[in-house]
Amino acid sequence: MRVSLFITCLADQIYPEVGESVVRLLHRYGCEVDFPRQQTCCGQPAYNSGYQDDAREVARNLIRAFEHSDYVVSPSGSCTGMVHHYYPQLFENEPEWKAKAEKLIGKTYEFSQFLVNVLGVKDLGAVYEGKATYHPSCHAMRLLGVREEPGELMAHIEGLELVELPRKEDCCGFGGTFAVKMADMSEAMVCEKAANVCATNADLLIGTDMGCLMNIGGRLNKENKPVRVMHLAQLLEEGVKRGERYGK
């Protein structure tokens, strides 16, 4: 199976280790992974700021970058959600580009969605002793409908105690440009989210979007809270390595 990695801006520039974990796990299940170098941003920051013409140009570049890919997998529900939900709106008056956007949508998946629903993988033989809570990102949950897949993957990690996050469906306050334009409101939201994370007494905060994890992790760090923040792909890869040591 040939898979193209859609890395996203945050993973590429700040958290490249997340992309590396995704690639190694896909290799583990027989995927041939490539990285189209033409890819850049999906256009979400421009779109959310009201610059639809600029967003369209960026979207065209992304469509071209993955035009010949069989599958496109991303470690971000937010960027994948942008493609799925907003690209048809961007090109509603351009039939040719809308058709190309629909083709991209049909083969583009968020990482956990791809593992569970395309590869049919839920149990990776992972082992990780610890207590974790999971933050479901807004776009993955609301735009893509990714609700059960991360939990199904974590439920099969031997030794991991998963504790439900209070008010888990509340936004963390990042929202990309929202955190800049409405900083006070964003701070209040992330303070509440961080308090709910701490209320679980979890050692780990797991998520599927580095924007959310960067925001919440930054707040936890500012408050000197001993909670390790990890993308789901990182947790699974570390768990797989431990499982292999234990002969799983």
Side-chain angles (χ1 to χ4, degrees), residues 1 25 37 48-49 56 72-73 77 102 114 161-162 168-169 173 178 187 214 223 226 244 246:
M1 185 177 290
L25 289 171
R37 293 185 177 275
N48 289 346
S49 299
R56 257 186 293 274
V72 179
V73 175
E102 295 286 359
F114 186 75
E161 179 187 354
L162 193 58
K168 63 182 180 181
E169 296 193 3
F178 173 81
E187 183 179 9
M214 178 178 68
E223 296 179 4
E244 289 174 345
Y246 299 144

Side-chain angles (χ1 to χ4, degrees), residues 183-203:
D184 291 343
M185 188 180 298
S186 173
E187 183 179 9
M189 293 168 73
V190 77
C191 285
E192 183 178 60
K193 179 64 72 170
N196 287 333
V197 170
C198 293
T200 66
N201 294 314
D203 310 308

Side-chain angles (χ1 to χ4, degrees), residues 197-218:
V197 170
C198 293
T200 66
N201 294 314
D203 310 308
L204 307 169
L205 170 64
I206 308 302
T208 58
D209 267 287
M210 288 316 305
C212 302
L213 292 177
M214 178 178 68
N215 193 39
I216 305 168

Side-chain angles (χ1 to χ4, degrees), residues 11-247:
D12 183 38
Q13 299 296 320
I14 306 176
Y15 303 102
E17 62 275 13
V18 173
E20 292 170 357
S21 291
V22 169
V23 170
R24 284 191 284 264
L25 289 171
L26 291 176
H27 281 163
R28 178 181 173 86
Y29 289 96
C31 295
E32 177 186 336
V33 184
D34 62 46
F35 181 81
R37 293 185 177 275
Q38 184 182 346
Q39 65 178 290
T40 55
C41 180
C42 66
Q44 185 172 181
Y47 183 83
N48 289 346
S49 299
Y51 299 103
Q52 294 206 4
D53 289 341
D54 295 301
R56 257 186 293 274
E57 286 307 305
V58 177
R60 286 192 182 96
N61 180 71
L62 197 75
I63 291 169
R64 292 189 194 102
F66 295 109
E67 188 173 5
H68 302 295
S69 301
D70 292 341
Y71 290 95
V72 179
V73 175
S74 173
S76 167
S78 179
C79 299
T80 307
M82 174 67 191
V83 173
H84 274 250
H85 195 75
Y86 294 111
Y87 275 23
Q89 296 179 27
L90 277 175
F91 297 111
E92 61 183 350
N93 296 320
E94 300 181 43
E96 181 181 351
W97 279 101
K98 185 175 182 180
K100 291 180 178 181
E102 295 286 359
K103 185 178 178 181
L104 177 61
I105 289 167
K107 60 186 179 183
T108 301
Y109 296 85
E110 180 272 331
F111 169 68
S112 70
Q113 194 181 41
F114 186 75
L115 273 187
V116 173
N117 299 332
V118 179
L119 296 184
V121 174
K122 295 182 182 179
D123 187 352
L124 287 78
V127 175
Y128 199 109
E129 295 286 342
K131 187 176 183 180
T133 193
Y134 170 71
H135 166 68
S137 298
C138 295
H139 283 180
M141 183 171 53
R142 296 181 174 90
L143 299 186
L144 294 178
V146 176
R147 292 180 176 271
E148 306 300 327
E149 292 89 343
E152 289 175 331
L153 290 164
M154 287 186 286
H156 287 90
I157 300 177
E158 185 177 329
L160 187 70
E161 179 187 354
L162 193 58
V163 183
E164 185 163 322
L165 180 63
R167 299 181 64 89
K168 63 182 180 181
E169 296 193 3
D170 287 0
C171 177
C172 74
F174 180 59
T177 55
F178 173 81
V180 177
K181 294 178 178 178
M182 299 185 177
D184 291 343
M185 188 180 298
S186 173
E187 183 179 9
M189 293 168 73
V190 77
C191 285
E192 183 178 60
K193 179 64 72 170
N196 287 333
V197 170
C198 293
T200 66
N201 294 314
D203 310 308
L204 307 169
L205 170 64
I206 308 302
T208 58
D209 267 287
M210 288 316 305
C212 302
L213 292 177
M214 178 178 68
N215 193 39
I216 305 168
R219 187 67 212 180
L220 291 168
N221 185 59
K222 187 173 183 178
E223 296 179 4
N224 295 313
K225 301 299 183 183
V227 182
R228 185 181 180 192
V229 177
M230 302 175 73
H231 190 280
L232 176 62
Q234 294 174 290
L235 174 66
L236 290 171
E237 192 198 7
E238 285 196 24
V240 165
K241 289 178 179 177
R242 296 182 187 194
E244 289 174 345
R245 288 200 297 270
Y246 299 144

